[in-house]
Structure formats: C-alpha cells, structure tokens
Amino acid sequence: MLTKLKRTALAIGLTGLLASLAFPASAQDGGWDSVVAAGKKEGKVVVYSMALGAPYYLAVLKSFEAKYGIKVESLDLRASELAERVRTEQAAGRFLGDTEIITTTMIEEQRKTGDYIQAVGTIPNVKNLRAPFKATEVSVPAYVQPMGILINTRIVKPEDEPKSWEDLNDPRWKGKILSDDMRPLGSGNTMFAILQKKLGAAFNEKLAEQKPVFSRDMRNDARRVARGEYPIYVPQIFAFASDLKGLPVKVVIPKEGAPYAMMEFAMLKNAAHPNAARLLINHFLEAESQLLYANGWMLPVVEGVADRANDDAKAFANAKLMGPALLEERPAMMELAKKLYQ
Amino acid sequence: MTSTSLSSQQIERPASAPSSRLQGLRDGKLPRRLAVAALVLLLAFLSLYPLSMLLYGSLHTTPPGIPGTFDLSGYRQVLTWPTAVLFANTVGISLLKTVISLALAVLFGWIIARTNTPARGALEVLITLPFFVPPILTAMAWGMLGNPQVGVINLAWRWITGSDNALVNVYSYGGVVWHMLQYSTPFLFLFVVEAFRSMDPALEEASRMCGASQWRTFRRVTFALMLPAIVTAFLLSFIRGLESFESPLFFGTPAKIEVITTAIYNSIHHQSIANYQFATALSFSIMALMFLLVLWQWRLLRGKSFQTVTGKGYSPRLIDLGPWRWLTFGLCVAFFLISVVLPIGQLILGSFFQFFGFYQWDMLTLEHYRSVLGNSEVWRAFRNTFLLGLVGASSTMLLGAIVAYISTRTRWAGRQVLDVLAWLPWMMPGMVLAVGFLWGFAFLPSAISIYGTIWALLIAYVALGTPIAVRVMSAAYRQLSFDLEECSRVHGATWWQTLWRIMIALAWPSFAVGWVLTFFGIMRELSASVLLYSVGSEVLSVVLLRMWENGQAETVSVIGLMMMLLVFVFRWVQLRLIKRYISTL
C-alpha cells in the first residue's frame, strides 16, 4: 500500500510540476502568485500533526515537496501532547511551528484558552469545499474521520448484522460489545456525545445496560474483534479498518449516519514560514491530495473526489455524517458517561 | 550484622578547622566543596528545576505562561474519597507485585549466582529478556494468550478438560499484577544477582560450620548481607509499581480497575481541557508517600555495615545442590517458559504472518522484516537512540557513580542533599515529569538553546536514569570494605588512584548492570521523548508509537525483537567480561 501511495504521490508531484510549467504565474491570481513565490523563498514549513506518520499524510507531504520544492518538517504528536507543545511554545515565545492539523474542537479550545493561532489568509482551494464544510478566518477543513460499527463476520451472521446504532441495544449483544472507553475524551466519548444528541438519552441508557467492555487501545481492539474475542466493536474509525483487509471483519455504516471528527488546519501565531504554510494548506485541498485520503477510507472535504475513490473506499468516502461533537457539550457528556458507566 | 571495618570518617582523616580559604585549599576542602556544590547544582537542574515547574503547576490554576491565580484546588481534588480508593488500589497492586517479584528475583539470583544449577549462564540472560521488550508488545501477546474468550491458554484448557470456563483472565487484578511481574522480576533479578556474586562465601561457610542449616544460613547470613541491595531493589520496584501505567491501562480498564497513573493520564490526555493542576498535585502526593519510603530505607540501613568485599581474597565457590540442582534448573526453565517463551514466542511467530493471531499459510510473509530493514526513518531513529543511549547511559552512570561514592563512602557536607536530589526524578510519574521537562526547557532564557534540540532529550534521559545509577552504585559501594581504600592509601596511592584502581575496579560489574538498565531505559522511554523530540531527532520509541498508532503491530514486534537481540549481545559481552574479571580476582 505504501509503494502505491508513494507512486501516487510522485504522480501528483509531477502533475503539479507540469501544471505549474504549463500554466505560468499569469494564469493565477496575482496575490496567490506572490504567496507561492514567498513560500518558495521561505523554503520550509513546520507542521504539527496528529497523523502520527499515516501513509496517506506522508504521501501528501511528499507530493507537496515535489511540487513546490519546499521542505516539510512534520512533528507528529498525540492530540494532548500537540496541544501542550503548542501552548508551551507560544507562551514561552518559541515560535517553532507554522501550522497544525488538529480537530475543530481543539482549535476552538485554543482560541478560548489563549492567543496561539492567527488568521489563515486566502486559500484558493477553499472554494472547492463541499457542504457542509466551511473554512473560517482561522481554520480550513483538511479531512474527516468518520466512525461506524466493526463486526466479526465469522461470529455475526449476515442476517444478524447491526444496521443501525439502535441495533446495538438488541439483547443478543449484551456483554458482547467491545468499546473504546466512553468516559474520557476520545473517540468513545465523541460517539457517546453525538449519539446522545441525535438518538436521545434513552439510547445511551440502554447501551449502558448492554454492559459494553471498555478498552483503550483502538488499533489493537479491532484485531481483538477479528480474533473473535468480541463480535462487535464501537466506534470503529473507518480509516483504521482499511488496513485489515483479509481479516474476518467488516465495517458497518449505520443508517442514521457516522459520528465523526473533523480535522482542520490552523496557522500558528508568529509562524516563521506563513506563506509556505498557506501553500501546504492549499495543497491539501487539491483533489489529488484528497483522493489519497478518500482511498484511505476517510471522507474528503472537497467536491468531486468521493466518487473517484477506489471501489472498496467509495462507501466510506460518501458516508452520511452525524455530528459534530461540540466543545461546550464536552464536560457534560464526559460527566454523563461517567455516571452511566460507573 | 555489623563489621569491624574502619569508618570512612577515619579514612578521611578530618582536617583541623580551616582558618582561611588558603588553608581550606591546602586541606583540599575548598575543591571538594566546590565539586559538591557543582554536583548539587547539576542535580538540581536535572531534578529540582523540572519539579519546581510542576510544583508551580500544582499550585496555579493554569500552566506556566497563562494568566491565572494560585490556589490549592488541585490538592483539594486529591483529598477526596475516590482518590483515596485510587491510592489504596495502586499501593495494593504495587505491593503485591513487588513482594512476589522480589521473592522470585532473590530465588533466581541465588540459583544463578550461588549454586551449581546447570546452564546458569544461559538462564541468566534468558530470565531477563522480558524486561527489555516494550510493554505494549507483551500486553498484546498476553491479551492473545490469556483473554477468557479465545485466549490460547484458555482454548487449550477447554480442549484438555472439556470445561466451559476460562482458566485465566488477564483482564483482571491478577492480570495487571502478572503483567507487571514480567518487568519487575527481571529488573530485580539484575540487581540481586550481582549482589549475590560479590558476596564472600566464607561468611556462609562459617555459619554452616557453626551448625546452622542451609536455610538458616540463607536467612541469617546471605539474606541479611544482601539487605542493602534487596531494600534498594524493593524500593525501586515498589515505586516503579506505583508509577506503572501500561499494565493497568491495558488489563485494568476492561475490569474497571483504575490506579493513580491512569487517573493522571486521563487528567492530562483525556480531559476537555488538560487538568495539570490535579495531575501534578496527585503526583506530588505520591511523591510524599515515596519520600516516606526512602526515609524508611535510610533508617533501616543507617549505622549498619554490609561489607562483604574485603581485602581478604575470596573465591565465589558454588553451593553443590546435588540432585536438587535439577529442581532449581526446572524452576528457572519454568519461569523462562512462562514469562519469555509464551509471550515472546507469540511475537516471533506473529512477525512472520501478515496479522498477529492469524496463522494461515497464505498469510506467511517477510514483509514486516523488509519494511523495517528498508525504512530509513527506523534506521535514523535507531542511530539517534543508540547515540543517545551510549552517551546518556555512560554520562548517567558516571554521574551516578560519583554521587553514590560521595553519599556512601564519604562524610562530606552536602552528601545527603546529593542523595535526595538523585532520588527525586524516580519519585515523579514519568508522564508528569516529562511535562516538567517540557515546561522547564521551553521557559529557559532564549540564549540557552536546549528546547527543540537533541540536548533536551539527552538531559531528560540523564535525569530519568540518575536514580537507578545512584542506587545500583550505592548498593555496590556498600558491599566494599573501607579497609580496601585504606590499604591503597597506606601504600601510597593517591585518592584518584584509589578510586580508579579499587573502587571502580571492584564496583564495575554493578556499573555494567546499571549501564545496561539505563541504556535500555533510554531505548524504551516514551513520555519525555514524545514531548521533547524535534524533527530529525526522532528516537525509536517515538517511531514505535507512530507505527503502533498506524496499526503496524507486527512491524513494532520486529523492532522489539531486534531490541531483544541487542540485549542478548550486550548481556553476553557483559557476562563474559564479568566471568573473566572474577576468574582473575
């Protein structure tokens, strides 16, 4: 898969290079030309990311480097570590990062608790965003990570497969659902909060009576289901199941829709390479970049990409979404989950 | 147990009160004071500075750099019933695993170092292997072996007995303790086996000649002389148990078992807004508990001598167990099979298949090995880690050896301060101390460029490794009789010559053990690494985390196995050197 991605990335890079030769600066907006020139002059962009070296992410960075000749330094951290590093660096006056890719709620939190981010400025490809995704003054959507239900196809007969979130409350699944812990902040609580809002309090109360078993290792949990420890796992991030091909598991997109985490770009305050950062953000919204994400079972944020995804990825790229989780609701949702799952 | 050895005060030959700085210089007091002051400053920077940032965090409503107010709300949150339950849970689990693993470590240490059990050399290396494997890998392996539904052990049990019930369930208190034992037994064994080796068997022989039984001799002589090493090992292991994170996270969460570290983890990593005030206040509360334990250790060892290495030559003769040696051999092999072969076997087997646990012919592959060997990022991280490991472990052990020497072999003013400062990093949970380093390095004056460089990692590793280095070397020094130093000085050797030719020469097997522990501690360290690394200075643990988070468990296993291979080489070289050293003693 990695080799394939590398090839795709190289193709994107070469296409970009040829396009920039075929359509010189005069074909583009004058303002953006100056951004491109300034970005190339800056020669480098430092991005803080939660992708932790995901192959599709690396492929996009590679294609960006090939297209613009700008070096990308990506510092991969987990969400909380990323937030604390940004906060500490900004507070200490060490402006090492240029841009970050984090969840919408984290950006809201950063705005609420400090002065760490600045306006992104004009990004031409923002015009290609598909509904309901919108850029704001300080954030630009990058990609979407939806979640569904994972089942073991050897244990769950086709006629018994859950089709909706409500099906999880069927008595046959009592004690047989493995779940990401819903009490602390994370995917489990995101699912809990969105389902509470969309399906009502009764849904979560009944789910709690099903006695789901909590775990804290999403990557290994899907494999535990594949090995037959449990027939069902929730919430399964689609993308995390894309590399389990060959195992007896299947991701179900519930009919009500898929709760999701929105990942967005933000520009860090006093970024040393702001123009290169803008170029990178714009590059992420190129159809070819988004296609890499769509083929990794994520939901692209620009028009015309989802239907170009590989056959196995199309359903996920076109999944109906449910959400998002809101920052102001978080504490109450975590408290409620704690109460239900004492 | 006391000894007739000279006290270090006698060796020091206290000088008359200095009347002037010149006089002090002539007496060698001023350089000594300056040296101690420099060491105090260094250790304060390594331990007190990050801790002071954390103390600020525990007393302030916001982390450093954000406007807020000072209050005690963090500590008020600690003083609640749920936190008391957490404390009780944590102490109970840690105590249980420490007692069991200490008993096993003493037994294995005695078998390997003091008996004629067959294949001791090989067993010594094999018993220690689990310690060097990333816990996340053994957790996965034990999850596959011991889950109640389809765990290999339970499937075998059901097949053999026809029972419907599971024999073991790793997702329980027992599972948490068991997984912790995998690490603490080899860790304690490494400590204890060296102490057994450096013991003069003449003391035991004397006991036997006086009519004491083998058991009584072991209890009253062997064990008593091992007290510093055992108490130190117990403390280190118990404290590490309080700070253990992976075992309760993976095996405790499904069973609703929460301990202090998982509460800290939640408050830092899984809160709507990270609650550093509670996390740091909770950490300081544990630190207070640990400090009481350290005081207990000082009280226990104070005024006693445990010197077993004296000027009198000895040969470490082995106890002939007769046919019982096969029983001791069997015990070691059983431990090896259960704690090494079962989980590591899963990792080895799994590394040749596309997915762990799916052992089908069509899934056989060498792809995971190819992807590791051909991954430039892995090799860069390996080079960085190896460099940091070599420099870090050597610097840490050097610092530890000096601090331990001053605190155990001299009466210099300030030696106790050094000892306390060297303990501090061990008493703060790693994930919290890592935040202290992040804050500490970031808020240094901009002229001091540590933040964002490889130096930040190196300094953090030295700080984190110093407590072990000091403990290992202190235990070793305590076993060396003062008459050795005196003889050397009487024969005209300088202080430095005595230090080099006597103290270092006799304590270096322990130095080597400490070095290996520190080196592999650096190889495995994640909490500080992930907060302090920068682009280009990625270390292995950060790369492993990335791979794990990307669902590449099999590739992570390949790297884990490569690390184990490295352990084999290191331990083999180390044991050969020790053997050669002992044969020439």
Side-chain angles (χ1 to χ4, degrees), chain B residues 75 130 157 238 245 247 311 328 344 376-377 439:
Chain B
Y75 290 94
W157 170 253
F238 180 69
F245 171 63
S247 312
T328 52
I344 309 297
S376 58
E377 191 191 26
W439 291 348

Side-chain angles (χ1 to χ4, degrees), chain B residues 50-60 62-64 74-75 78 264 267-268 275-287 428-429 431-433 435-436 439:
Chain B
L51 286 175
S52 63
M53 298 299 285
L54 294 172
L55 185 64
Y56 172 93
S58 77
L59 296 168
H60 202 255
T62 54
Y75 290 94
V78 172
I264 291 172
S267 60
I268 293 179
N275 189 349
Y276 286 104
Q277 198 172 10
F278 171 68
T280 47
L282 187 54
S283 304
F284 277 108
S285 307
I286 318 176
M287 201 172 184
M428 183 57 69
M431 74 183 85
V432 179
L433 190 58
V435 175
W439 291 348

Side-chain angles (χ1 to χ4, degrees), chain A residues 52 80 89 109 185 216 223, chain B residues 269-270 272 451 550 554:
Chain A
L52 288 164
S80 54
E89 286 178 5
E109 202 176 285
L185 190 64
R216 301 285 288 273
R223 287 153 181 259
Chain B
H269 295 279
H270 292 279
S272 185
Y451 185 82
N550 274 302
E554 294 77 12

